[in-house]
Amino acid sequence: MNLKTRVLRVDASASVNTSNSKKLGDALISRMEAIFPGMQVQQRDLNEDISFIDEIWVGANFTPPEERSEMQKNRLEFSDRLIDELRHADHIILTTPMYNFSIPATLKAWIDMICRAGVTFQYSTDGPVGLLKNKRVDIIITTGGVPLQSPADFASNYLEQVFRFIGIEDINIFAADQMSVDADASYQNALDQMAQSYAVNTAA
Ligand SMILES: Cc1cc2nc3c(=O)[nH]c(=O)nc-3n(C[C@H](O)[C@H](O)[C@H](O)COP(=O)(O)O)c2cc1C
């Protein structure tokens, strides 16, 4: 990582001022800023603006760019913007709670907007190939009762799969799971994982 690390922060929790995952995101950003002073952070709050796949979107996506109608181009504009944000970033920080054993619907909608054949992945004779290269993603996940990696966790492996699918191999999960059991211990556990990952000497 270099001193000009460009970070895209994506927040998925519906909670605005009381979100544990967002608070952990703030802590991670503060820690990183101490290590990478030139770091730039762009923020995307999925509760402010999101869009869903519909028939026009699907048709537009499978129409070659030079043949798209104005309506089709307009329909893909939001997806294009989200993908540009990803392309511009060296580093993605995703903060998300577990909702109903998986991820919030807003985050699923974001994933549907950024997984685009021919844009963020393509098919080859060896199967799909991710097209976003040389990026790292830090995923912060909070849960109430479900331990991550337990049979009821349909969030963490899914998110890892999605990022690998679009070419991002450097994937780190900072977990504050089972917060309803011992919130302080769980929160501290995530902070400790961050401290391990971002010790001051990681700047070298
Ligand atoms: C709508 C909703 C669904 C939830 N579903 C689950 C769940 O399936 N499993 C779980 O362990 N916790 C669940 N929780 C608890 C949250 O994951 C937990 O409180 C988390 O810390 C919230 O993070 P946040 O404060 O960043 O929103 C749910 C919370 C909400 C609001």
Side-chain angles (χ1 to χ4, degrees):
M1 281 175 281
N2 60 50
L3 290 177
K4 290 236 167 69
T5 298
R6 289 173 301 191
V7 173
L8 171 65
R9 173 181 177 160
V10 178
D11 291 309
S13 174
S15 299
V16 179
N17 297 317
T18 57
S19 162
N20 289 313
S21 55
K22 286 180 190 171
K23 259 188 252 163
L24 284 166
D26 295 343
L28 179 56
I29 299 257
S30 300
R31 174 166 280 280
M32 285 178 65
E33 275 170 345
I35 298 172
F36 309 110
M39 188 175 110
Q40 303 157 12
V41 182
Q42 181 173 14
Q43 195 159 357
R44 165 70 52 190
D45 186 336
L46 300 181
N47 289 282
E48 286 174 4
D49 204 4
I50 200 63
S51 178
F52 296 98
I53 288 177
D54 62 11
E55 192 181 27
I56 299 169
W57 192 98
V58 174
N61 192 32
F62 289 100
T63 303
E66 61 284 1
E67 290 171 26
R68 282 180 194 142
S69 67
E70 279 309 303
M71 187 179 67
Q72 286 179 320
K73 285 183 199 159
N74 290 341
R75 195 69 194 89
L76 291 179
E77 213 171 62
F78 186 65
S79 162
D80 290 339
R81 197 171 350 134
L82 296 182
I83 290 170
D84 280 348
E85 289 175 359
L86 270 178
R87 281 192 176 132
H88 183 74
D90 315 301
H91 196 120
I92 296 114
I93 295 175
L94 169 64
T95 78
T96 183
M98 174 180 283
Y99 280 176
N100 300 312
F101 311 104
S102 179
I103 56 171
T106 49
L107 179 53
K108 176 60 167 64
W110 180 78
I111 289 168
D112 287 344
M113 290 290 127
I114 60 152
C115 292
R116 290 249 311 265
V119 183
T120 53
F121 69 93
Q122 68 190 19
Y123 292 107
S124 74
T125 45
D126 298 328
V129 179
L131 298 177
L132 297 180
K133 296 291 178 200
N134 302 318
K135 298 182 194 297
R136 168 178 169 134
V137 62
D138 289 335
I139 304 172
I140 295 170
I141 308 187
T142 54
T143 80
V146 170
L148 286 197
Q149 298 304 329
S150 71
D153 169 17
F154 293 88
S156 57
N157 290 342
Y158 170 66
L159 289 171
E160 286 191 66
Q161 168 65 28
V162 166
F163 284 109
R164 265 197 308 273
F165 180 64
I166 58 175
I168 301 176
E169 304 281 346
D170 191 356
I171 303 169
N172 307 277
I173 292 194
F174 301 120
D177 56 353
Q178 294 192 282
M179 292 202 76
S180 57
V181 177
D182 185 341
D184 291 344
S186 175
Y187 194 87
Q188 188 57 47
N189 187 38
L191 291 179
D192 292 346
Q193 293 165 35
M194 289 174 196
Q196 258 193 337
S197 213
Y198 290 99
V200 173
N201 62 11
T202 56

